[in-house]
Amino acid sequence: MSNVRAAHLSRRGILAAGGALGLGVALAACGDDDAKSGSSDKGTTAARSGPWTFKDDRGTTVKLAKAPADIVAFVGVAAALYDYGVSVKGVFGPTRTKAGKADVQAGDMDISELTVLGNEWGQFNVEKYAALAPDVLITTMFDGAGTLWYVPDESKDKIAELAPSVGISAYDRQLTVPLQRVWALAESLGADMTAGKVTDAKKRFEEASARLRAAARAHPGITVLAGSAAQDLFYVSGTDLSVDLEYFKALGVNFVEPSASVLKASGGWYESLSWENVDKYRADIIMMDDRTATIQPADITQATWKKLPAVKAGQVIARSPEPIFSYDKCVAMVENLAQAIETAKKVS
């Protein structure tokens, strides 16, 4: 994408390209409507009988005669519901990589069984959506205005006419809040929240959180930076709006981050640095955005990156700025940070 075109990205588009870090790399604008995708008729696995209501994080209450069976969801939400035994018919958002494999945000879902309405930012095939006869659309929200994530502005009104929507907020709150909200949503859809797999995952998450708190307390001098890479820029995240970073900070993790005055230019999300200035902030551990729209650490060629103390020490770990909000999927991200802090050398 040209610099001129990138400059015209909306704030939502910028966020989509790099998530809560506000990465300024643009997602490809070409359509994915002709990508191969199957249709799943599984619906929810154990939908409850009788009327269904759910109050979302916009304060909107959706009321249906029965629990929705034909669900369309943002891929990360669909992946979380899948972990609780609830299936969806269609998804939108990063679902398959250019190599045709499941995107990291697809979790454990078999994407060949899903109708993919759009794989990239701005893509949402309204005709395919209508053909699914959806009962409800479910997605996340990354601002305080209740904007539905990955629902394009230009077609949102048409989409809204076809089915009610549920929004789960992932904005300016700790990780445990959306985890609890998706848990409640899955339960309302008929998921068995007493199943051993479900309760075990919640227990493992709580244990991982206790481990991270203990690690942070035992190693208070170890500093952590959350970053994201684009071709021309490196983004350093603030911790006050991202669900994962807010939670980790609450557990005592010592983050290196831009000042509030610097973050103000991006609405509080991030500071963008040229690769020449990537050493402005020094940390012992660097957490790097793991999504496919970003450049991964192994592919960063800039010499200034390779000279960073944390990089030279091999103390770079993955971060998921858009977590899959099931306890099972959030265990690893907490454990990975705990282990990194426990074993890190002081290099900053």
Side-chain angles (χ1 to χ4, degrees):
M1 171 172 285
S2 70
N3 290 334
V4 172
R5 188 174 179 185
H8 285 83
L9 281 173
S10 66
R11 180 172 177 274
R12 292 180 68 221
I14 292 173
L15 289 175
L21 291 178
L23 177 62
V25 63
L27 295 176
C30 57
D32 190 48
D33 294 341
D34 296 326
K36 283 188 176 181
S37 58
S39 176
S40 172
D41 293 323
K42 292 181 179 179
T44 54
T45 56
R48 295 180 175 182
S49 60
W52 181 83
T53 64
F54 188 84
K55 185 176 182 180
D56 76 358
D57 292 338
R58 298 169 297 181
T60 300
T61 299
V62 178
K63 299 180 180 180
L64 299 174
K66 60 180 181 179
D70 297 325
I71 300 171
V72 171
F74 174 72
V75 61
V77 176
L81 292 175
Y82 180 87
D83 286 347
Y84 293 131
V86 178
S87 300
V88 306
K89 290 186 75 173
V91 297
F92 54 96
T95 305
R96 59 168 61 88
T97 66
K98 292 181 179 179
K101 297 182 179 180
D103 189 275
V104 64
Q105 294 193 66
D108 294 333
M109 293 188 297
D110 182 351
I111 62 173
S112 68
E113 295 186 355
L114 298 170
T115 296
V116 181
L117 304 176
N119 198 62
E120 297 180 357
W121 184 258
Q123 296 178 356
F124 194 110
N125 190 314
V126 180
E127 289 73 23
K128 277 188 179 181
Y129 180 59
L132 292 175
D135 294 322
V136 68
L137 178 148
I138 307 172
T139 187
T140 44
M141 301 180 296
F142 282 90
D143 62 26
T147 306
L148 298 178
W149 194 233
Y150 266 81
V151 174
D153 287 336
E154 59 271 19
S155 56
K156 64 181 181 180
D157 292 337
K158 291 182 180 179
I159 293 168
E161 291 173 357
L162 295 170
S165 60
V166 168
I168 301 296
S169 179
Y171 173 75
D172 195 15
R173 58 196 57 198
Q174 293 184 27
L175 177 62
T176 46
V177 178
L179 276 172
Q180 292 163 2
R181 294 293 288 141
V182 173
W183 175 289
L185 176 62
E187 186 173 33
S188 78
L189 293 170
D192 181 4
M193 309 313 283
T194 65
K197 177 183 177 181
V198 173
T199 57
D200 176 66
K202 189 172 186 292
K203 180 181 179 182
R204 287 188 291 113
F205 175 82
E206 292 167 348
E207 292 172 346
S209 298
R211 176 184 175 186
L212 178 55
R213 185 189 295 276
R217 184 181 300 117
H219 306 277
I222 296 298
T223 57
V224 180
L225 179 147
S228 187
Q231 182 176 353
D232 299 320
L233 295 171
F234 182 79
Y235 297 85
V236 179
S237 179
T239 60
D240 287 340
L241 299 179
S242 300
V243 289
D244 59 331
L245 302 185
E246 283 202 16
Y247 184 58
F248 298 154
K249 184 168 66 173
L251 292 177
V253 175
N254 184 6
F255 281 98
V256 175
E257 59 182 314
S259 66
S261 60
V262 171
L263 292 171
K264 185 177 180 180
S266 67
W269 287 103
Y270 65 94
E271 177 182 3
S272 58
L273 300 173
S274 67
W275 285 103
E276 289 77 10
N277 296 316
V278 73
D279 60 352
K280 178 177 179 179
Y281 302 102
R282 295 195 169 228
D284 302 302
I285 297 169
I286 300 176
M287 303 173 66
M288 289 294 290
D289 190 334
D290 68 354
R291 290 166 299 169
T292 52
T294 67
I295 300 175
Q296 297 306 299
D299 299 319
I300 299 175
T301 59
Q302 282 80 359
T304 49
W305 163 262
K306 295 179 179 180
K307 291 178 181 179
L308 292 176
V311 176
K312 292 172 67 175
Q315 294 175 176
V316 178
I317 65 173
R319 176 199 170 207
S320 299
E322 288 183 64
I324 294 173
F325 293 120
S326 72
Y327 285 102
D328 179 70
K329 292 301 178 289
C330 288
V331 169
M333 52 191 280
V334 180
E335 287 182 337
N336 289 345
L337 181 54
Q339 182 177 8
I341 293 174
E342 290 166 350
T343 59
K345 297 178 181 178
K346 183 65 181 175
V347 295
S348 63

